[in-house]
Amino acid sequence: MDERDGMATMVETVRELAAGARQAARWLAGTSSRERDELLGAMADELLGATEAILAANSQDLAEAADRPAAFRDRLTLTPERVAQMAGALRQVADRPDPLGRGESWTRPNGLRIHRVRVPLGVVGLIYEARPNVTAEATALALKAGNAILLRGGSEAFRSNQAIVAALRQGARAAGAPAELVSLLPAGRESARALMTTPGVVDVLIPRGGPALIRSVVEEARVPVIETGAGNCHTYVHQDADLEMALRIAVNAKVQRPGVCNAMETLLVHREVAAAFLPRVGEALRAHGVTLRGCPRTRELLPWAEPATDEDWATEYLDLILAVRVVDDLDEALDHIRRYTTGHSEAIVTRSLEAARRFQEEVDAAAVYVNASTRFTDGGEFGFGAEVGISTQKLHARGPMGLEALTTTRYVVEGDGQIR
Amino acid sequence: MDERDGMATMVETVRELAAGARQAARWLAGTSSRERDELLGAMADELLGATEAILAANSQDLAEAADRPAAFRDRLTLTPERVAQMAGALRQVADRPDPLGRGESWTRPNGLRIHRVRVPLGVVGLIYEARPNVTAEATALALKAGNAILLRGGSEAFRSNQAIVAALRQGARAAGAPAELVSLLPAGRESARALMTTPGVVDVLIPRGGPALIRSVVEEARVPVIETGAGNCHTYVHQDADLEMALRIAVNAKVQRPGVCNAMETLLVHREVAAAFLPRVGEALRAHGVTLRGCPRTRELLPWAEPATDEDWATEYLDLILAVRVVDDLDEALDHIRRYTTGHSEAIVTRSLEAARRFQEEVDAAAVYVNASTRFTDGGEFGFGAEVGISTQKLHARGPMGLEALTTTRYVVEGDGQIR
């Protein structure tokens, strides 16, 4: 079968799954808040009951991933505890307030009553990578907001995802709901392309994973997309910064969890404090196994740092690597950030109210920090609970996305014969 | 110069204009609400002062449009009154409440203070067609919300738009603001394509015009788009409808202004009232010069109606043409709407609370009407004042877009050294 036939067949498969999801979403839109919460509870029960089957499938995935790096295998690995955590996540989402149904109403001079009500999007599509727990969490968030979901996970976790989705669908049946509320697409390039390029299949497509995945979705998608997670995050240490604080923040932002989108990738330091700060932060980071790539002025102070190229300023390492640049002043720091930011999270460490205000006003990012680590850009840390992802776009949702990001509004207008 | 060179040059032109707009937007983001309102006032003054120049340019456009239909020429025509109306629109927008700066704040257990503030999008792009008054209105809305705007109007109105933009830029200078807050792109296909396909140039692109324009933008755009205005609107007359009311509503929705997106394009009638209703509404519509295209059951009652094809059900006529179909029941009406709706505005005429509720819950459109004309889907009629357009998409903005649709949010997080 040549590639084009393969693609055509895949588009058909996706269309069929989407038609089922669309109908299931219509059913779900007619349920009450309590019914949706009970549905999530039933799914949690089935998930726990299926623990053995899920772990068996997971061990098959792990066997095939034998030669992958440890960090990758760790993200892929499921244990009884992690399955229980997934079930717990389903229940936590069920306990959150219902995002649907709220709204404002007003009456126009001609007597028209206008209601703006919050309603589900319909069908949510998610393209994601290794971590199988995303399968359960994303399903919980989509369903809580009244949507059906089409999941396209990574091939490395395919068997695990199949087992998890089977349990979730069994939970739906047990609750008297259509199993088509959750569907898993085949893994691989073609299913992702079909999902991205077939209009009318999903109401929103959310890519969740590494920069390459997100770029390809944003570039190829012909359906509405919420761009997430590209985080080339900066921390700027101003000349008047509390250097103890700056040290704590810089080390935390880089090493506490280097593989995530809100980790720091570039450190900018005002030249007046470079000599006092860089040697200390350099040693601290080196002690955590961080490789530095520095500008010439950085390397005068830290000769052991590798030379940084323009490419380094633009790179999201997601690793124990940090680009370091000495800047003349706040303006140069702002220019650097303006040029290289991906609009995720940016931080300044300063004692100056004026510098803080300028940074807050001029940096165009989802989250702008003063004297705190960029690692806090997270639904849980912001107090939203589990998140769908972190939007780096400006339309619809920006920053950590809670349940409301999976809804839209509709105007319901009631009259008694009004005409224009 | 071959086409590719032409396109490359155009992308350069757009990039340069966009760079100026980006800088101007940064300047505007630093202004106060009062300064932005005074800027709009100064633009209104200059617009009035330039009335002669604008009318002269407009008459040149009209001379070239001599062989266009009367309706087209009317939309293109400017008069002293219409220029005064444009200036008035600028002042009205200035008088609206500032959409910026508002937001919520909360403090996390670790002491982090999180502020969610409403901020400008940055640079707004608008691709639109004949009506030159849109040039002033859209500029007012974009600037009020703190954005710069790149305008790409139709070639038929190019000279008029040039004269209007010249006056607006003069107003900016008079208010001590950068003229680059408003720029007019060359007319023609290439400038539109450059705007749609060059990432990073605009933060949002809004197409405002006919179905063909909107389709091409939605299909070709590589930048964030808000889809507007495709309106294949239905009115369904239920078996228990007040037929007097149904007649008023149907005639109004079709003929009061047939060329706009919230006009009715298909009338659905329950078979039990078809014999009583169709002859009367048919005559009334015919008296207004409306051509009917009916299903077989319609044509049994209205032999003079043309036969409707499947294509008719899917067509937005924007003209004195109406597709008419007799349906067996509410379910068949809902199925028809589900299949052919563009998600703009849909109406039911009924006395039944249950039918009304099902219609409100099951029809997936920006505006769903019970016993009123679809013509009310409009920023002014909803009480929002001037509108940017009517969004038919579900993300970011849905239905008539007020000023808030031209803004986004940013999280500003303040700490005293918090780390994870």
Side-chain angles (χ1 to χ4, degrees):
Chain A
M1 185 165 72
D2 86 18
E3 207 181 276
R4 216 191 286 90
D5 301 344
M7 191 59 206
T9 321
M10 184 56 72
V11 169
E12 257 330 291
T13 310
V14 169
R15 278 229 175 83
E16 280 161 30
L17 289 171
R22 180 71 53 189
Q23 221 166 357
R26 240 176 253 134
W27 178 89
L28 193 62
T31 58
S32 70
S33 180
R34 175 178 297 125
E35 289 170 308
R36 288 189 291 278
D37 295 345
E38 286 166 355
L39 168 62
L40 294 183
M43 288 180 158
D45 295 339
E46 292 292 338
L47 206 55
L48 283 178
T51 301
E52 264 185 37
I54 292 170
L55 295 181
N58 184 243
S59 59
Q60 287 184 295
D61 284 334
L62 282 166
E64 288 197 1
D67 51 1
R68 295 302 199 96
F72 178 93
R73 288 173 52 82
D74 175 61
R75 285 200 301 277
L76 181 56
T77 303
L78 291 176
T79 62
E81 296 64 35
R82 287 188 176 180
V83 175
Q85 283 166 9
M86 282 194 253
L90 283 160
R91 297 189 204 282
Q92 279 166 28
V93 171
D95 291 340
R96 305 256 298 279
D98 185 1
L100 302 175
R102 293 208 210 74
E104 316 86 62
S105 298
W106 61 98
T107 302
R108 298 290 301 156
N110 61 5
L112 275 185
R113 292 187 304 287
I114 302 181
H115 313 276
R116 185 172 188 258
V117 295
R118 195 151 284 284
V119 296
L121 281 169
V123 178
V124 173
L126 186 73
I127 299 183
Y128 57 111
E129 288 168 343
R131 304 217 327 280
N133 60 310
V134 171
T135 308
E137 272 174 34
T139 300
L141 291 162
L143 269 52
K144 175 77 180 184
N147 306 287
I149 186 164
L150 292 180
L151 297 158
R152 191 285 198 175
S155 49
E156 308 82 358
F158 187 67
R159 291 192 191 80
S160 311
N161 290 334
Q162 261 183 322
I164 293 164
V165 168
L168 296 173
R169 292 170 69 110
Q170 188 49 46
R173 288 189 203 91
E180 292 72 17
L181 284 170
V182 196
S183 297
L184 181 67
L185 272 57
R189 189 96 193 76
E190 280 174 346
S191 58
R193 292 209 55 240
L195 205 52
M196 295 178 208
T197 58
T198 316
V201 160
V202 294
D203 293 295
V204 64
L205 179 61
I206 303 173
R208 210 172 136 166
L213 166 67
I214 289 155
R215 208 174 311 111
S216 81
V217 172
V218 171
E219 279 168 12
E220 295 178 42
R222 281 265 151 279
V223 302
V225 167
I226 297 180
E227 187 173 353
T228 70
N232 186 24
C233 305
H234 302 75
T235 300
Y236 165 60
V237 179
H238 195 48
Q239 75 217 70
D240 63 3
D242 170 339
L243 296 185
E244 287 301 327
M245 183 193 288
L247 182 70
R248 266 201 325 277
I249 288 173
V251 171
N252 177 261
K254 180 72 257 183
V255 311
Q256 194 248 353
R257 201 169 160 204
V260 294
C261 57
N262 56 21
M264 169 176 65
E265 304 293 5
T266 297
L267 176 67
L268 301 170
V269 180
H270 191 289
R271 62 176 161 73
E272 286 182 21
V273 288
F277 184 63
L278 278 180
R280 294 184 54 202
V281 75
E283 283 317 311
L285 289 165
R286 181 148 69 163
H288 282 92
V290 177
T291 305
L292 299 193
R293 307 222 177 132
C295 69
R297 286 192 284 187
T298 300
R299 300 186 63 237
E300 283 168 23
L301 295 158
L302 305 176
W304 52 272
E306 299 167 6
T309 67
D310 279 2
E311 206 195 320
D312 285 296
W313 309 132
T315 302
E316 183 181 8
Y317 299 114
L318 297 170
D319 197 355
L320 288 173
I321 306 171
L322 178 69
V324 184
R325 181 173 175 189
V326 174
V327 294
D328 288 337
D329 52 22
L330 175 59
D331 289 299
E332 194 178 349
L334 288 168
D335 288 340
H336 181 101
I337 292 172
R338 208 169 275 137
R339 177 157 174 206
Y340 295 106
T341 184
T342 54
H344 192 297
S345 302
E346 309 294 357
I348 182 173
V349 184
T350 183
R351 284 196 180 97
S352 156
L353 189 59
E354 195 222 341
R357 194 155 289 156
R358 273 198 66 197
F359 196 86
Q360 290 170 339
E361 283 173 2
E362 294 186 29
V363 172
D364 190 13
V368 181
Y369 290 84
V370 173
N371 297 332
S373 168
T374 54
R375 289 278 295 112
F376 286 103
T377 306
D378 170 90
E381 295 296 330
F382 275 24
F384 303 158
E387 73 188 16
V388 191
I390 294 168
S391 167
T392 53
Q393 69 183 35
K394 293 181 178 180
L395 296 189
H396 187 66
R398 195 178 195 193
M401 290 186 283
L403 287 164
E404 189 167 300
L406 295 177
T407 67
T408 182
T409 57
R410 177 194 299 153
Y411 290 101
V412 172
V413 185
E414 299 176 312
D416 39 32
Q418 281 83 347
I419 60 173
R420 279 181 81 175
Chain B
M1 186 164 74
D2 87 16
E3 208 182 276
R4 212 187 295 87
D5 301 343
M7 191 59 205
T9 321
M10 185 55 73
V11 168
E12 258 329 290
T13 310
V14 169
R15 278 230 174 84
E16 280 161 30
L17 289 172
R22 179 72 52 191
Q23 223 169 352
R26 242 177 251 133
W27 177 89
L28 193 62
T31 58
S32 70
S33 180
R34 176 179 297 123
E35 289 169 309
R36 288 188 292 278
D37 296 345
E38 285 166 354
L39 168 63
L40 293 184
M43 288 180 159
D45 295 339
E46 293 291 339
L47 207 56
L48 283 178
T51 302
E52 264 184 36
I54 292 170
L55 296 182
N58 184 244
S59 59
Q60 287 184 297
D61 283 333
L62 282 166
E64 288 197 2
D67 52 1
R68 295 302 199 96
F72 177 93
R73 288 174 52 83
D74 175 60
R75 284 200 300 277
L76 181 56
T77 302
L78 291 176
T79 63
E81 295 65 36
R82 287 188 175 181
V83 175
Q85 283 165 10
M86 281 194 254
L90 283 160
R91 297 188 203 283
Q92 280 165 29
V93 171
D95 291 341
R96 306 256 297 279
D98 185 1
L100 301 175
R102 293 209 210 74
E104 317 85 62
S105 298
W106 61 98
T107 302
R108 298 290 301 156
N110 60 5
L112 276 185
R113 293 186 304 288
I114 302 182
H115 314 275
R116 185 171 189 258
V117 294
R118 195 151 285 283
V119 296
L121 281 169
V123 178
V124 173
L126 185 73
I127 300 183
Y128 57 111
E129 288 169 342
R131 304 218 324 280
N133 60 308
V134 171
T135 308
E137 272 174 34
T139 300
L141 291 162
L143 269 52
K144 176 78 181 185
N147 306 287
I149 186 164
L150 293 179
L151 297 158
R152 191 286 199 173
S155 50
E156 308 83 359
F158 187 67
R159 291 191 191 81
S160 311
N161 290 334
Q162 263 184 320
I164 292 165
V165 168
L168 296 173
R169 291 170 70 110
Q170 190 49 46
R173 288 190 204 92
E180 292 73 16
L181 285 170
V182 197
S183 297
L184 180 67
L185 271 57
R189 189 95 195 74
E190 281 174 346
S191 59
R193 291 209 53 240
L195 205 52
M196 294 179 208
T197 58
T198 315
V201 161
V202 296
D203 294 295
V204 64
L205 179 61
I206 303 173
R208 206 171 139 167
L213 165 67
I214 288 155
R215 208 174 311 113
S216 82
V217 172
V218 170
E219 279 167 12
E220 295 177 41
R222 282 264 151 279
V223 301
V225 167
I226 297 181
E227 188 174 352
T228 69
N232 186 24
C233 305
H234 302 76
T235 300
Y236 165 60
V237 179
H238 195 47
Q239 76 218 68
D240 63 3
D242 172 339
L243 297 186
E244 287 302 326
M245 183 192 289
L247 181 70
R248 271 202 319 278
I249 289 174
V251 171
N252 178 261
K254 179 72 258 183
V255 311
Q256 194 247 352
R257 201 168 160 204
V260 295
C261 57
N262 56 19
M264 169 175 65
E265 304 292 5
T266 298
L267 176 67
L268 302 170
V269 180
H270 192 289
R271 62 176 160 71
E272 285 182 22
V273 288
F277 184 62
L278 279 180
R280 293 185 55 204
V281 75
E283 283 317 311
L285 289 165
R286 180 148 70 163
H288 283 91
V290 177
T291 305
L292 299 192
R293 306 217 178 137
C295 69
R297 286 191 285 186
T298 300
R299 300 185 64 238
E300 282 168 22
L301 295 157
L302 306 175
W304 53 271
E306 299 168 5
T309 67
D310 278 3
E311 205 195 321
D312 284 299
W313 309 131
T315 302
E316 183 181 9
Y317 300 114
L318 298 170
D319 197 356
L320 288 173
I321 306 171
L322 178 69
V324 185
R325 181 173 174 188
V326 174
V327 294
D328 288 338
D329 52 23
L330 176 59
D331 290 300
E332 193 177 349
L334 289 168
D335 287 341
H336 181 101
I337 292 171
R338 210 169 274 138
R339 177 156 177 209
Y340 295 106
T341 183
T342 53
H344 192 298
S345 302
E346 309 294 356
I348 183 174
V349 184
T350 182
R351 283 195 181 97
S352 156
L353 191 59
E354 196 221 339
R357 194 155 287 160
R358 273 198 65 198
F359 196 86
Q360 290 171 339
E361 284 173 2
E362 295 186 28
V363 172
D364 191 14
V368 181
Y369 290 83
V370 174
N371 297 331
S373 167
T374 54
R375 288 279 294 111
F376 286 104
T377 306
D378 170 90
E381 294 296 329
F382 274 24
F384 303 159
E387 73 189 16
V388 191
I390 295 168
S391 167
T392 53
Q393 69 183 32
K394 292 180 178 181
L395 296 188
H396 188 66
R398 195 178 196 193
M401 290 187 282
L403 287 164
E404 190 168 301
L406 295 177
T407 67
T408 181
T409 57
R410 177 194 298 152
Y411 289 101
V412 172
V413 185
E414 299 176 312
D416 38 33
Q418 282 84 347
I419 61 173
R420 279 181 80 174

